[in-house]
Amino acid sequence: MALQIGIVGLPNVGKSTLFSAITKKQVDCANYPFCTIDPNVGVVEVPDERLAVLSKMSGSQKLIPTVIEFVDIAGLVKGASEGQGLGNKFLANIRETDAIAQVVRAFEDSNILHVDGSINPLRDAETINTELALADLDVLTKRAGTIDKQMKSGKTKELEAEAAAVAKAIQNLNNGTMLRDVEWTADERFALRVLQSLTMKPMLYVVNVSEAQLGDESWKARVAGLKGLIVPVCIKMEADLSTMSDEEKREYLEMAGQTQSGLNKLIQEAYVALGLITFLTTGEVETRAWTTPKGSTAPVAAGVIHTDFEKNFIRAEITPYKDYVEFGGEAGCREKGKTRIEGKDYIMQDGDVCYFRIGA
């Protein structure tokens, strides 16, 4: 199952247009609030130029990139945590995602009305973040009450640990600190995991800019102070690019002074926000990108390919991508001693070209 990024933001900031451009799927993006009632899900490839290079070297029959799912969640408004607009439904949809991409608007356009009447991306972000925090506080406070009742019937180490973690979360939210910015122990994270706290999820800010702002970078002053990964995207430009041929895209981007699509940057940063790395396998049958959390051991990575591989792991043959290309593939790397034999404790690195030895 692909990991999910939920696209959120106030109405009319460009969310649905962004989603349409990302997935090349047509969704209703009419110019009025709440046009998107049910979340739309689209699977997108993570751009990775290494795949084409390896595929050519190996003469692969297939090339399979790794993917992320983007979920288009309808616009939130102030008071969503109390059920304003269609808030409760959408907050529940966000809770199911692995990370959040929050679209904030920096471009001016008198033909596209802003729900608050003016353009202020910092205010927009504060509105959304406040609603997410209030929704978390509601869930955490209810859970604290339940734990208190359960502990009256008999304390356990698990309940005491969860009570402490929940109290710490409530205190931080009341102090204005998002839970993702709090230092947690592994045990605390384990205790809080089932609550799926919204402010614990990684946050990526997508700044919707005009083409002029993209060129002169004037958008930066408007979002100074936002904490987290920030990606500027001219969503109008990306919508145009999504209808063009590859050659037309290259020409358009060159004219705009851009080296790559803003959507490619967004997808790549979303991957980073999720704390993921890519390892690669290549051969005549296929060249493929695989996803594993940063810090994964070799057996865990092998288990991504097949669950039995982790259990029956013997060793991994690892070649850094740069060496694999420089020395002409598997044979050249073995000859030059660039392919390493690694055991169960090896920590995977992004771009590792792998062959896993598995027992019966």
Side-chain angles (χ1 to χ4, degrees):
M1 179 180 176
L3 292 163
Q4 288 192 336
I5 305 281
I7 304 175
V8 305
L10 295 174
N12 293 350
V13 295
K15 294 182 306 75
S16 293
T17 305
L18 171 66
F19 177 82
S20 180
I22 277 182
T23 61
K24 297 183 174 59
K25 289 175 63 175
Q26 293 302 310
V27 294
D28 186 3
C29 50
N31 182 26
Y32 58 90
F34 312 124
C35 64
T36 311
I37 304 303
D38 296 312
N40 297 277
V41 180
V43 179
V44 297
E45 298 178 356
V46 178
D48 194 334
E49 296 177 352
R50 297 173 298 191
L51 286 173
V53 175
L54 292 179
S55 180
K56 185 175 180 181
M57 291 178 68
S58 301
S60 302
Q61 297 173 32
K62 291 191 294 184
L63 188 157
I64 306 175
T66 191
V67 298
I68 292 179
E69 288 183 359
F70 279 86
V71 184
D72 181 30
I73 297 169
L76 294 174
V77 293
K78 193 171 184 178
S81 60
E82 299 172 351
Q84 294 297 315
L86 298 169
N88 289 334
K89 179 178 174 61
F90 304 147
L91 289 168
N93 290 330
I94 301 168
R95 209 173 289 283
E96 298 300 317
T97 65
D98 300 289
I100 300 170
Q102 182 179 160
V103 182
V104 294
R105 176 176 164 184
F107 72 91
E108 300 276 357
D109 187 334
S110 59
N111 294 318
I112 302 177
L113 301 178
H114 190 285
V115 69
D116 287 330
S118 62
I119 307 304
N120 186 334
L122 291 178
R123 179 199 59 210
D124 294 356
E126 184 178 358
T127 297
I128 295 294
N129 291 338
T130 297
E131 294 305 320
L132 299 182
L134 288 172
D136 277 351
L137 271 172
D138 182 55
V139 171
L140 287 159
T141 302
K142 288 177 180 175
R143 181 56 188 159
T146 300
I147 293 171
D148 187 53
K149 290 177 182 177
Q150 290 174 330
M151 289 179 70
K152 288 176 181 177
S153 301
K155 292 184 179 180
T156 66
K157 287 184 178 180
E158 290 78 9
L159 278 176
E160 288 179 337
E162 186 180 0
V166 168
K168 179 177 175 179
I170 290 172
Q171 181 181 14
N172 275 281
L173 286 172
N174 281 328
N175 290 336
T177 303
M178 300 294 104
L179 299 186
R180 74 181 68 87
D181 298 324
V182 177
E183 289 189 15
W184 301 98
T185 66
D187 288 343
E188 287 171 333
R189 287 186 179 277
F190 183 80
L192 293 171
R193 75 197 186 287
V194 295
L195 300 179
Q196 296 179 301
S197 297
L198 302 171
T199 62
M200 185 77 87
K201 298 179 187 296
M203 175 72 77
L204 174 69
Y205 290 99
V206 183
V207 186
N208 190 3
V209 302
S210 67
E211 193 168 328
Q213 287 173 320
L214 191 63
D216 63 21
E217 298 191 335
S218 59
W219 59 270
K220 288 184 176 180
R222 286 198 149 184
V223 296
L226 277 186
K227 190 174 183 180
L229 289 169
I230 298 174
V231 182
V233 180
C234 178
I235 294 177
K236 182 178 182 299
M237 178 193 294
E238 299 300 331
D240 292 339
L241 286 169
S242 68
T243 65
M244 297 180 183
S245 67
D246 289 344
E247 182 59 33
E248 288 171 332
K249 288 179 186 176
R250 281 192 292 271
E251 292 177 359
Y252 192 156
L253 288 170
E254 283 180 14
M255 288 175 60
Q258 302 299 309
T259 57
Q260 66 170 321
S261 160
L263 294 186
N264 280 0
K265 295 177 188 175
L266 169 58
I267 295 166
Q268 290 161 349
E269 288 296 337
Y271 200 69
V272 171
L274 285 167
L276 304 173
I277 62 169
T278 298
F279 67 93
L280 308 159
T281 57
T282 188
E284 290 184 5
V285 175
E286 68 178 31
T287 290
R288 184 163 183 164
W290 303 87
T291 297
T292 193
K294 190 175 182 180
S296 293
T297 60
V300 169
V304 173
I305 298 175
H306 194 288
T307 52
D308 287 345
F309 286 11
E310 181 174 3
K311 181 174 62 177
N312 299 317
F313 178 90
I314 297 176
R315 65 179 184 272
E317 298 175 10
I318 305 289
T319 310
Y321 169 78
K322 184 178 178 182
D323 290 341
Y324 197 94
V325 174
E326 182 178 349
F327 296 101
E330 182 180 354
C333 287
R334 290 185 185 281
E335 182 182 335
K336 297 292 184 180
K338 298 297 181 180
T339 296
R340 308 186 310 273
I341 305 299
E342 299 287 358
K344 293 182 178 180
D345 295 332
Y346 175 70
I347 303 299
M348 298 293 294
Q349 302 299 310
D350 187 78
D352 279 347
V353 182
C354 308
Y355 184 84
F356 296 107
R357 297 287 182 182
I358 307 300

